[in-house]
Amino acid sequence: MKKWLDGLSVREQRLLKSGTLIVSLGLFVAFVFLPANRSLDDKAQRLGVLKQQLNQMEQSRPNGSAAQQLLPITSSFSVWLDQQMVQLNLQNLISRAEPVDESTMTLWLQNAPFDPVIDWLMEVEQRFGVTTTNLDVVQKDKASGLSDIRMTLVR
């Protein structure tokens, strides 16, 4: 290969080097730059979509301080939760209720209907600003939807 290259004239060697440089540059653009650029554009577009979704979710979320004011001020958080469980007819399913502090409560429900409990959790979050920080579900009966549920609620 070296003999062949030395056998070329100076002009042919310069042309070969220039061609090699142009082909190498073209391959770099085609196989490195363009795919990386497309990937960055896709990621930037995805980031924009995710930011827009976050803004929509933040706007649809109830305001925390206004939502918490809807809770009765005269009763404690645990009393309010007990009243909610009575309204849902779930008070008999509570096997244990443990207050963590004045605004946090952990409840253990046995053989509780999954769908009504989840619907209630969504409702109290939207209406009262009560959030679920921990939810542990063990399915007991798939056909009837009964589950053992441990949940930590925070006002």
Side-chain angles (χ1 to χ4, degrees):
M1 180 81 167
K2 179 80 171 151
K3 285 183 184 180
W4 176 78
L5 188 58
D6 289 338
L8 297 175
S9 69
V10 174
R11 183 176 174 180
E12 289 173 335
Q13 287 179 1
R14 205 176 297 147
L15 180 65
L16 184 62
K17 289 177 183 176
S18 299
T20 304
L21 179 66
I22 291 172
V23 168
S24 298
L25 193 58
L27 289 173
F28 175 79
V29 167
F31 292 112
V32 176
F33 179 75
L34 290 178
N37 195 26
R38 273 188 228 114
S39 176
L40 287 174
D41 288 343
D42 291 345
K43 287 181 183 2
Q45 185 179 14
R46 179 75 176 141
L47 179 63
V49 169
L50 289 173
K51 282 184 179 180
Q52 186 179 23
Q53 287 177 349
L54 176 63
N55 288 337
Q56 289 173 347
M57 288 171 47
E58 285 177 342
Q59 289 173 359
S60 68
R61 178 178 65 177
N63 190 0
S65 60
Q68 289 182 5
Q69 291 175 0
L70 297 175
L71 287 174
I73 299 172
T74 58
S75 64
S76 67
F77 184 53
S78 60
V79 171
W80 179 82
L81 279 175
D82 288 339
Q83 292 170 351
Q84 290 290 311
M85 291 295 141
V86 168
Q87 288 177 358
L88 289 171
N89 292 325
L90 296 176
Q91 73 276 11
N92 296 333
L93 303 177
I94 297 175
S95 63
R96 183 175 170 195
E98 181 179 301
V100 176
D101 57 32
E102 60 195 33
S103 64
T104 306
M105 181 81 143
T106 301
L107 297 174
W108 284 263
L109 304 173
Q110 287 188 335
N111 296 320
F114 179 78
D115 289 337
V117 171
I118 297 302
D119 292 341
W120 173 75
L121 288 173
M122 290 172 45
E123 180 184 345
V124 295
E125 183 171 1
Q126 290 173 354
R127 287 184 54 206
F128 302 108
V130 175
T131 58
T132 306
T133 59
N134 187 12
L135 183 66
D136 187 26
V137 179
V138 177
Q139 185 179 14
K140 289 294 185 176
D141 185 12
K142 189 173 186 175
S144 63
L146 296 179
S147 304
D148 288 348
I149 300 173
R150 181 180 57 123
M151 57 187 157
T152 304
L153 303 171
V154 178
R155 174 168 56 173

